[in-house]
Amino acid sequence: MTRPDRGYGRRMPLTRSLDDATVVITGASSGIGAATGYALARRGADVVLAARSEEALHRVADRCRELGGRALVVPTDVTDPEAVVRLAARAAAEFGRIDAWVNNAAVGTVGLFDEIPVIEFRRVVEVNLLGTVYGTRAALPWLDAGGGGVLVNNASVLAEVAMPYQSAYNATKHAIRGLADTVRQELRVTGRGHISLCTVLPATIDTPFFRHAANHTGRELTPPPPVYPPEMVAETIVRLLRRPRREAYAGGAARLMGIQWRLAPALAERVLGWYAARTQFGPGVRLDATGNVFRADAAAERTDGWQGRRAQLIRLTAAFGLAAAGTAVGTVAAMSRRSRTERG
Ligand SMILES: NC(=O)c1ccc[n+]([C@@H]2O[C@H](COP(=O)([O-])OP(=O)(O)OC[C@H]3O[C@@H](n4cnc5c(N)ncnc54)[C@H](OP(=O)(O)O)[C@@H]3O)[C@@H](O)[C@H]2O)c1
């Protein structure tokens, strides 16, 4: 049973303060990546912003400069390993070094496992998992050369628990977690403990992710509540840069789901499956769409999430409360049954 983290052992934060640090962020044109750029720029960091949409990246960069940081835009598709190596080189050439790297780019395809086109499943693996692999490989030599630094992989609570209709996404996020655990071990046993590798496990976040996702369900997608603001994940990432830990949840619901999954996995799997199957869809009908899986989705609004649909989210959040309470009761019942059996 893996536990999201208490300690990191010897914690190696950035070798310099944030207002003097260079941080590369992938998936920076939207949502959590953009919010992370703003959070870092506000603290005076130099940010290197990567994603496919150059125009959106420039908008984020302008805002970062207004907030007090220097910003460099490097349009990059993270599925191209050479482009990711060039991204690292551009960052170091511009700012002299790389102190931290945030692997954040991701896409999703929503639908039943046996109905999602294989080509889309593969692309989700390429963006989410291989994009993280390429980013990590590109970053490590620069972090090592600078005497240390921090790598942050933005996974999801879906790296620990599961949700129906999200098989490709879930599989990549579980893989990212396993990858980080292994690379962290390797860094330690090869004398590179001055590089920290952290995994973030956010709950549902108010970004355009669900609008960007490919959809093969025939129905409108809505984010399963409770829904937290992207700034909360950005602040978690900032904290990890200052004080690295193996893993950090972002959002109380993620922590709760993680606990329930570890204590009573079979029950939590059932309840979360039931809950997600009911809350992931809105009333609208949707045609099959590939979203931003293969190319940046110019049509999608890039910054706003679901704030305009507060009433719907509140109703669904209440459903989460009920499901969580039901699972908690079931968990306690399962645990006391187990301990009675063990005693008997
Ligand atoms: N929203 C949630 O509920 C939630 C919850 C837990 C974890 N997360 C994680 O948070 C991260 C950010 O997601 P988000 O919610 O902010 O969604 P988002 O607004 O859709 O952002 C995704 C970002 O990834 C970029 N991207 C997609 N494909 C790319 C590619 N091939 N190369 C480079 N960049 C690419 C997108 O930009 P371009 O289209 O311009 O390339 C965009 O900047 C993801 O890792 C996601 O899994 C999200």
Side-chain angles (χ1 to χ4, degrees):
M1 183 160 73
T2 334
R3 280 193 136 255
D5 159 330
R6 297 272 63 93
Y8 191 81
R10 236 172 89 248
R11 293 174 182 178
M12 298 300 297
L14 297 175
T15 52
R16 42 182 65 205
S17 67
L18 269 181
D19 61 2
D20 201 21
T22 302
V23 185
V24 179
I25 307 164
T26 70
S29 62
S30 173
I32 295 167
T36 303
Y38 302 148
L40 290 167
R42 209 171 277 121
R43 287 154 171 107
D46 298 328
V47 290
V48 181
L49 307 168
R52 294 166 301 179
S53 329
E54 186 165 2
E55 211 182 304
L57 286 173
H58 279 293
R59 280 198 295 274
V60 176
D62 288 345
R63 178 86 187 113
C64 287
R65 292 182 193 112
E66 282 165 21
L67 291 168
R70 290 190 293 174
L72 173 69
V73 165
V74 186
T76 307
D77 187 325
V78 298
T79 64
D80 176 350
E82 285 163 15
V84 180
V85 168
R86 284 197 298 275
L87 163 64
R90 277 288 311 280
E94 182 81 9
F95 296 121
R97 55 188 292 128
I98 298 174
D99 299 287
W101 185 290
V102 183
N103 285 311
N104 169 76
V107 292
T109 175
V110 184
L112 290 173
F113 167 69
D114 42 0
E115 292 178 3
I116 294 171
V118 167
I119 187 175
E120 260 178 38
F121 200 111
R122 178 186 302 164
R123 176 75 180 179
V124 173
V125 172
E126 284 170 355
V127 176
N128 301 9
L129 175 58
L130 293 181
T132 299
V133 169
Y134 303 148
T136 304
R137 288 176 70 108
L140 284 177
W142 292 103
L143 299 178
D144 198 21
V150 184
L151 255 156
V152 177
N153 291 343
N154 190 8
S156 166
V157 69
L158 293 180
E160 185 174 27
V161 311
M163 193 176 274
Y165 303 95
Q166 299 271 4
S167 54
Y169 183 84
N170 288 359
T172 60
K173 294 299 181 173
H174 274 69
I176 286 170
R177 195 178 186 212
L179 173 77
D181 291 347
T182 315
V183 175
R184 194 181 303 109
Q185 288 176 318
E186 291 183 4
L187 289 173
R188 265 197 220 109
V189 298
T190 54
R192 289 177 289 169
H194 50 284
I195 301 172
S196 296
L197 177 43
C198 317
T199 307
V200 188
L201 309 172
T204 308
I205 308 300
D206 189 15
T207 72
F209 185 84
F210 282 79
R211 258 181 249 163
H212 287 162
N215 183 355
H216 301 284
T217 65
R219 299 161 72 184
E220 174 193 19
L221 302 178
T222 59
V227 181
Y228 298 85
E231 292 76 20
M232 184 202 61
V233 188
E235 289 304 318
T236 303
I237 292 172
V238 169
R239 272 199 301 282
L240 287 172
L241 298 184
R242 288 181 161 149
R243 199 158 176 268
R245 306 168 55 166
R246 288 181 62 250
E247 293 186 339
Y249 290 111
R255 184 180 300 277
L256 182 65
M257 283 190 268
I259 291 171
Q260 293 181 333
W261 198 269
R262 289 195 302 278
L263 289 178
L267 175 67
E269 185 182 293
R270 272 172 192 270
V271 174
L272 201 53
W274 171 88
Y275 172 75
R278 274 153 191 79
T279 57
Q280 241 180 131
F281 305 109
V285 173
R286 290 288 180 275
L287 294 177
D288 264 25
T290 55
N292 74 344
V293 169
F294 298 102
R295 58 186 65 83
D297 188 357
E301 295 152 70
R302 305 205 58 89
T303 48
D304 67 316
W306 296 85
Q307 278 133 356
R309 309 181 68 170
R310 242 173 234 300
Q312 187 184 7
L313 292 180
I314 288 168
R315 188 171 48 77
L316 293 172
T317 302
F320 177 81
L322 270 179
T327 317
V329 170
T331 304
V332 171
M335 286 169 70
S336 60
R337 208 171 31 245
R338 197 182 305 158
S339 83
R340 272 202 308 277
T341 313
E342 278 164 12
R343 277 203 308 273

